[in-house]
C-alpha cells in the first residue's frame, strides 16, 4: 500500500531542508499561491474530505470556512502538537522525521485563512521533536519560505514554536489557547468557538499536526484523489498508533475505513505469543473499548461512532486474554482523575469518585451495588461540562462494565482478580 | 531582586523570547523554562522576578508554576526517573518495573534519595507507547522497553 507521510519515517533519520526539497518539498505550498485564491483553496480542502485528525474529526475545510475575514483583527493559526491522548504517538514521528511536511502544511493553511502569524504548541516532554522542529523552522526562514516575503509572493508568515509544560488538558483546544496566553490551561466555555474568538480574542484556526501534514499531498495530487483513498466523507489516510499486546507495535499509515481487524492482525502482526484478543481501545484512551466480535468495524469517524465509540486520535491499544478488565479500567480512570482540571464538579468529583470505587473493588472490598453506581456516575458526568474530557472519561467507563459485566461481578463477589497472569500488578504500586 | 534571577545574559535571552509574543504574559512558560534551566528550579524569589519582568501579579505566576507538572519548585536530583504508568505501559508490565525500583533500589514513586542523587516519579502517557514500558530520564531521553536490567544500568551510569 502506498505511503504518504510515513514514507519519511526512516529510523534514525530526519529529512532536512535539502533532502525534503529534493523530494518535491514546498512545491505544493508554491502551487497553493499560484493556483488558488484563499477561498478556492478552502473549497479544495473541503472537497478532499480531510478530517481533523487530532481527535474530533471535524472536517478541516469546513472549520476554515467559519473564520470571519472582516473583523479587522488578525487571524491566527495554532498547531496542536500536544499529543497527550494516551495510546497516541504519531505526531512525534512527523516532528522527528519530517518537520518540513508540517511547516509546508502550515504555509498552505495560513494562506487559505489569511494568517500571518502561527504558533505550534508542542508538549513539553517532547524535547527531541521540539529541537528538530525549531531547526526546521530556522531552515525555512533561511530559504525565504517563512518571513516577510515568502516565495517572493509578497506574503508574510511567522512561526513561533512554543512548548507546553506538562498538562493533558492543554491538548483541548481552548485549554491550549489559555495556556498559550500564559495562563493555567482551563478550557473555555463554548460558544464562542475559537474560529471566531480564539487566541488573544482573535479568530483562530486550530489544527492537529497530522491534519496539516496531509495538505501537501492534497495539493500535489488533487482533492478527488485524496478523498477516494478513504471511505465515505472520510478522506485519505491516517496514522494509526498501535500499542499493547501486539507483536509489532508502531505507527501504521492506512486508509480511513480500514477494518480494525486488519490493523491488528495484518499490520501489527497479531497478538503477542499468539494469545487470544480480549478487548481493543480503537481511538485513544477516551474511546469505548471494542470486543473481538466487533473488530470488523471500519476505522473511520462515522463507522466508529455508529458503534458507540470513536475514531479519536487513532491510538489503538490492544489487550489480550490475560488482561483483567477491572484493573485496565482502574488504570484508565486514574488517568482522568489525575488530569481533570477541576473547573466542573461533575468531572472533578466524578472522576475521582469512580477511581476510588474501582480501587476499593481491586482491593477486594467491592459491593454489589458498585456496578450500578459506576454507570450512574457515568450518566451525570458526560455532556454536562465545559470541555469534552468528562465525556472522554465517561465513554470508556461505561463500556468496560457493560461489555465485561460477568467479569466485574465476579471480581466483586470473589474479592479478587480472575486473571492470574494479568500484567497489571495485583496491588497497584502507585494506586 | 529581578537582577539576581535575570543576570544580564539571561535577561537578554528573556527579552528575545518575549519579543516573539503578542503579550508579555504569553511568554511565561518559555520564560519559566529559561529560569529553570539557569537556576535549576523555580523558587519563590524566581516567581517574583518573573512577575516583575512580565508585569503581572506574583500570584498569577505562582498559579501557573503549580498548574503545570514540568516545573520544579525545589532543587532537583541529579538523576530523575519519570516512569509512565498509563494503560499501554501498565499492560506491558510497568508495575514490575516500579516494583523492581522499590525492592532493589529503595525508590518509591514521589520520593527521592536523601542525598539528592535520584528521584522517582510516575507520569501519565508520554507518547511513546510503542516502546512500553518506558520512562523519561532527566526530563529528556526516552528509554524503553524497560527491563529490570536496563533500570540497573541507568542507575549505575551516574
Ligand atoms: C481533553 C482533550 C484533550 C485533547 N488533546 C489533544 C491533543 O493532545 N492533540 C490534538 O491534536 N487534539 C487534542 N484534542 C482535540 C482538540 O481539542 C481539537 O479538536 C483539535 O486540536 C483540532 O484539530 P483537528 O481538527 O485538526 O483535529 C483534545 C481534546 C480534548 C477534549
Ligand atoms: S470537563 Fe473536566 S477537564 Fe474539562 S473543563 Fe470541566 S473539569 Fe476541566
Ligand atoms: S502509556 Fe506509557 S508512553 Fe503511552
Amino acid at each position: 500500500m502506498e505511503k504518504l507521510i510515513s514514507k519519511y519515517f526512516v529510523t534514525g533519520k530526519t529529512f532536512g531542508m535539502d533532502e525534503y526539497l529534493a523530494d518535491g518539498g514546498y512545491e505544493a505550498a508554491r502551487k497553493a499561491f499560484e493556483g488558488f485564491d484563499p477561498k478556492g483553496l478552502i473549497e479544495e480542502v473541503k472537497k478532499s474530505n480531510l478530517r481533523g485528525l487530532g481527535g474530533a474529526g471535524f472536517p478541516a475545510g469546513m472549520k476554515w470556512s467559519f473564520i470571519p475575514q472582516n473583523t479587522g483583527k488578525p487571524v491566527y493559526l495554532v498547531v496542536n502538537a500536544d499529543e497527550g491522548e494516551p495510546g497516541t504517538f504519531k505526531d512525534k514521528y512527523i516532528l522527528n522525521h519530517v518537520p518540513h511536511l508540517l511547516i509546508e502544511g502550515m504555509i498552505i493553511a495560513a494562506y487559505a485563512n489569511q494568517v500571518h502569524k502561527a504558533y505550534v504548541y508542542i508538549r513539553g516532554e517532547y524535547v527531541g521533536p521540539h529541537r528538530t522542529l525549531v531547526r526546521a523552522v530556522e531552515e525555512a526562514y533561511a530559504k525565504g519560505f517563512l518571513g516577510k516575503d515568502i516565495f517572493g509572493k509578497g506574503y508574510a508568515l511567522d512561526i513561533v514554536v512554543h512548548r507546553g509544560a506538562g498538562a493533558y488538558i492543554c491538548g483541548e483546544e481552548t485549554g491550549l489557547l489559555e495556556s498559550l496566553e500564559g495562563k493555567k490551561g482551563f478550557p473555555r466555555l463554548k460558544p464562542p468557538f475559537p474560529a471566531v474568538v480564539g487566541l488573544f480574542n482573535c479568530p483562530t484556526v486550530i489544527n492537529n499536526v497530522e491534519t496539516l501534514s496531509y495538505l501537501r499531498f492534497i495539493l500535489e495530487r488533487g482533492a478527488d484523489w485524496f478523498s477516494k483513498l478513504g471511505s465515505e466523507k472520510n478522506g485519505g489516510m491516517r496514522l494509526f498508533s498501535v500499542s499493547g499486546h501486539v507483536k509489532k507495535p508502531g505507527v501504521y499509515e492506512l486508509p480511513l475505513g480500514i477494518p480494525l481487524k486488519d490493523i491488528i492482525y495484518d499490520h501489527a502482526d497479531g497478538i503477542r505469543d499468539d494469545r487470544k484478543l480480549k478487548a481493543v481501545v480503537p481511538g485513544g484512551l477516551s474511546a469505548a473499548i471494542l470486543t473481538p466480535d466487533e473488530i470488523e468495524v471500519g476505522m473511520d469517524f462515522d463507522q466508529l461512532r455508529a458503534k458507540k465509540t470513536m475514531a479519536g486520535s487513532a491510538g489503538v491499544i490492544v489487550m489480550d486474554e490475560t488482561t483483567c478488565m477491572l484493573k485496565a479500567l482502574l488504570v484508565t480512570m486514574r488517568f482522568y482523575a489525575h488530569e481533570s482540571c477541576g473547573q466542573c464538579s461533575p468531572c472533578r468529583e466524578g472522576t475521582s469518585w469512580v477511581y476510588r470505587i474501582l480501587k476499593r473493588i481491586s482491593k477486594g472490598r467491592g459491593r454489589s451495588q458498585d456496578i450500578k453506581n459506576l454507570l450512574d456516575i457515568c450518566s451525570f458526568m458526560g455532556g454536562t461540562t465545559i470541555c469534552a474530557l468528562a465525556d472522554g472519561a465517561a465513554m470508556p467507563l461505561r463500556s468496560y462494565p457493560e461489555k465485561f459485566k460477568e467479569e466485574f461481578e465476579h471480581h466483586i463477589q470473589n474479592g479478587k482478580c480472575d486473571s492470574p497472569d494479568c500484567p497489571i500488578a495485583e496491588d497497584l504500586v502507585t494506586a | 531582586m529581578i537582577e539576581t534571577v535575570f543576570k544580564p545574559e539571561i535577561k537578554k535571552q528573556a527579552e528575545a523570547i518575549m519579543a516573539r509574543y503578542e503579550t508579555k504574559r504569553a511568554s511565561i512558560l518559555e520564560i519559566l523554562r529559561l529560569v529553570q534551566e539557569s537556576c535549576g528550579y523555580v523558587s519563590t524569589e524566581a516567581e517574583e522576578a518573573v512577575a516583575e519582568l512580565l508585569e503581572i501579579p506574583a500570584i498569577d505566576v505562582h498559579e501557573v508554576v503549580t498548574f503545570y507538572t514540568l516545573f520544579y519548585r525545589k532543587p532537583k536530583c541529579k538523576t530523575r526517573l519519570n516512569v509512565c504508568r498509563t494503560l499501554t505501559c501498565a499492560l506491558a508490565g510497568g508495575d514490575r518495573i516500579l516494583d523492581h525500583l522499590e525492592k532493589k533500589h529503595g525508590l518509591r514513586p514521589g520520593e527521592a534519595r536523601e542525598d539528592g542523587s535520584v528521584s522517582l516519579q510516575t507520569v501519565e502517557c508520554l507518547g511513546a507507547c510503542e516502546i512500553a514500558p518506558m520512562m523519561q530520564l532527566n526530563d529528556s531521553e526516552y528509554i524503553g522497553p524497560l527491563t529490570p536490567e536496563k533500570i540497573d544500568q541507568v542507575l549505575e551510569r551516574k
Side-chain angles (χ1 to χ4, degrees):
Chain A
M1 200 168 304
E2 192 188 357
K3 292 175 178 170
L4 302 175
I5 294 178
S6 63
K7 78 166 184 222
Y8 294 107
F9 295 172
V10 179
T11 309
K13 182 176 166 73
T14 301
F15 283 79
M17 179 59 92
D18 291 343
E19 282 169 297
Y20 187 67
L21 284 176
D23 198 51
Y26 288 101
E27 285 305 315
R30 239 181 250 278
K31 186 171 165 185
F33 283 97
E34 284 160 12
F36 294 90
D37 62 9
K39 275 213 174 70
L41 191 50
I42 294 179
E43 282 311 308
E44 183 75 359
V45 174
K46 268 192 193 162
K47 230 172 40 183
S48 75
N49 282 326
L50 173 67
R51 305 284 290 256
L53 301 174
F58 198 85
M62 200 194 299
K63 187 189 277 185
W64 296 2
S65 70
F66 296 155
I67 297 288
Q69 289 293 350
N70 53 1
T71 60
K73 290 181 179 174
V75 179
Y76 291 103
L77 170 66
V78 174
V79 181
N80 193 338
D82 199 47
E83 191 147 77
E85 182 64 22
T88 317
F89 39 90
K90 46 140 187 135
D91 295 338
K92 180 186 68 186
Y93 279 71
I94 298 177
L95 298 166
N96 274 338
H97 294 288
V98 60
H100 285 293
L101 197 53
L102 170 63
I103 298 172
E104 182 165 12
M106 289 175 71
I107 295 172
I108 297 168
Y111 174 60
N113 293 289
Q114 293 294 293
V115 167
H116 299 288
K117 176 119 181 226
Y119 286 91
V120 182
Y121 188 103
I122 182 167
R123 75 175 289 177
E125 294 90 342
Y126 277 0
V127 174
H130 169 259
R131 206 180 298 130
T132 310
L133 179 63
V134 167
R135 200 174 301 134
V137 167
E138 283 165 6
E139 284 180 328
Y141 270 105
K143 280 270 178 213
F145 299 169
L146 294 173
K148 291 209 162 45
D149 178 22
I150 68 179
F151 305 122
K153 307 277 179 216
Y155 191 92
L157 176 63
D158 283 307
I159 293 183
V160 175
V161 181
H162 178 92
R163 285 171 292 181
Y168 170 65
I169 198 57
C170 293
E172 196 277 338
E173 55 188 18
T174 59
L176 187 154
L177 293 178
E178 286 287 300
S179 175
L180 196 46
E181 290 181 5
K183 300 176 233 163
K184 294 183 284 189
F186 277 179
R188 300 174 181 168
L189 261 177
K190 294 188 264 193
F193 290 94
V196 184
V197 183
L199 189 63
F200 306 120
N201 287 319
C202 298
T204 303
V205 182
I206 304 175
N207 276 123
N208 170 259
V209 171
E210 185 190 355
T211 313
L212 295 171
S213 298
Y214 275 113
L215 291 171
R216 169 180 165 186
F217 304 102
I218 295 172
L219 268 283
E220 268 177 4
R221 290 156 78 172
D224 287 329
W225 164 82
F226 188 81
S227 169
K228 284 196 195 104
L229 285 179
S231 52
E232 202 190 338
K233 296 215 172 73
N234 289 258
M237 306 175 81
R238 73 183 302 192
L239 300 168
F240 292 93
S241 309
V242 186
S243 70
H245 296 150
V246 288
K247 286 185 191 152
K248 275 173 47 194
V251 175
Y252 298 93
E253 185 176 39
L254 296 162
L256 274 107
I258 186 171
L260 175 54
K261 190 176 173 190
D262 294 3
I263 298 181
I264 298 173
Y265 287 97
D266 298 344
H267 297 280
D269 230 9
I271 314 297
R272 60 162 189 182
D273 305 328
D274 292 316
R275 285 186 227 202
K276 280 216 296 260
L277 175 68
K278 186 164 186 181
V280 196
V281 175
L285 197 68
S286 307
I289 51 169
L290 294 171
T291 52
D293 56 344
E294 295 175 300
I295 60 172
E296 300 286 349
V297 64
M299 296 286 275
D300 69 27
F301 289 96
D302 305 309
Q303 295 180 62
L304 283 161
R305 180 171 309 133
K307 288 260 179 227
K308 294 199 168 66
T309 180
M310 64 175 187
S313 62
V316 175
I317 306 174
V318 175
M319 296 180 246
D320 74 15
E321 57 191 330
T322 61
T323 313
C324 165
M325 287 295 120
L326 179 98
K327 284 194 232 156
L329 181 60
L330 173 61
V331 169
T332 301
M333 297 314 297
R334 179 175 64 190
F335 174 79
Y336 296 103
H338 186 255
E339 298 296 336
S340 166
C341 84
Q343 279 192 104
C344 326
S345 40
C347 174
R348 183 186 62 236
E349 303 300 327
T351 51
S352 56
W353 189 7
V354 163
Y355 175 48
R356 285 196 307 272
I357 294 177
L358 291 167
K359 207 154 80 173
R360 182 165 48 67
I361 302 175
S362 84
K363 304 250 186 241
R365 299 194 308 272
R367 300 173 194 145
S368 55
Q369 70 275 26
D370 280 339
I371 296 179
K372 186 182 170 298
N373 285 346
L374 287 174
L375 294 173
D376 286 349
I377 299 171
C378 235
S379 334
F380 85 68
M381 232 165 62
T384 57
T385 50
I386 293 176
C387 93
L389 181 140
D391 306 292
M395 211 197 258
L397 171 58
R398 176 169 290 116
S399 69
Y400 278 78
E402 268 182 13
K403 294 186 180 183
F404 292 91
K405 189 153 188 274
E406 273 178 25
E407 185 175 330
F408 272 74
E409 282 170 348
H410 212 242
H411 213 306
I412 290 172
Q413 274 156 17
N414 286 7
K416 64 178 174 46
C417 185
D418 260 349
S419 317
D421 299 325
C422 181
I424 308 174
E426 186 56 41
D427 182 30
L428 282 172
V429 185
T430 54
Chain B
M1 148 152 55
I2 185 161
E3 291 77 22
T4 54
V5 176
F6 291 99
K7 303 205 170 68
E9 184 47 33
I10 304 294
K11 179 94 188 282
K12 231 165 83 194
Q13 290 179 38
E15 275 161 1
I17 292 170
M18 285 155 68
R20 295 184 215 142
Y21 293 85
E22 271 67 4
T23 65
K24 287 188 173 163
R25 177 164 191 158
S27 67
I28 190 168
L29 294 185
E30 291 286 350
I31 295 291
L32 285 168
R33 251 177 207 279
L34 178 70
V35 168
Q36 182 154 294
E37 275 157 25
S38 67
C39 308
Y41 68 107
V42 184
S43 62
T44 306
E45 186 195 24
E47 284 178 2
E48 283 164 14
V50 170
E52 201 178 319
L53 182 76
L54 302 182
E55 296 168 11
I56 56 177
I59 180 71
D60 290 11
V61 178
H62 182 71
E63 280 196 345
V64 167
V65 171
T66 50
F67 181 82
Y68 297 93
T69 59
L70 296 186
F71 297 118
Y72 291 89
R73 310 218 52 249
K74 286 190 297 220
K76 55 192 183 211
C77 292
K78 190 159 167 281
T79 302
R80 305 175 302 281
L81 313 181
N82 285 3
V83 178
C84 175
R85 66 176 193 180
T86 318
L87 187 57
T88 300
C89 284
L91 291 170
D95 290 327
R96 271 200 322 258
I97 300 300
L98 291 169
D99 200 48
H100 177 77
L101 278 162
E102 176 165 1
K103 294 219 170 91
K104 169 135 188 222
H105 300 282
L107 287 162
R108 287 171 54 90
E111 294 178 6
R113 292 231 174 100
E114 266 174 32
D115 62 2
S117 57
V118 192
S119 64
L120 170 65
Q121 259 191 309
T122 53
V123 295
E124 302 293 352
C125 182
L126 289 170
C129 326
E130 76 277 35
I131 54 164
M134 61 80 63
M135 69 172 175
Q136 185 166 29
L137 177 65
N138 297 339
D139 306 298
S140 73
E141 189 188 355
Y142 278 15
I143 304 178
L146 289 173
T147 57
E149 294 73 42
K150 255 190 212 167
I151 291 282
D152 297 348
Q153 280 167 17
V154 167
L155 286 174
E156 279 153 23
R157 243 198 243 175
K158 282 193 209 84

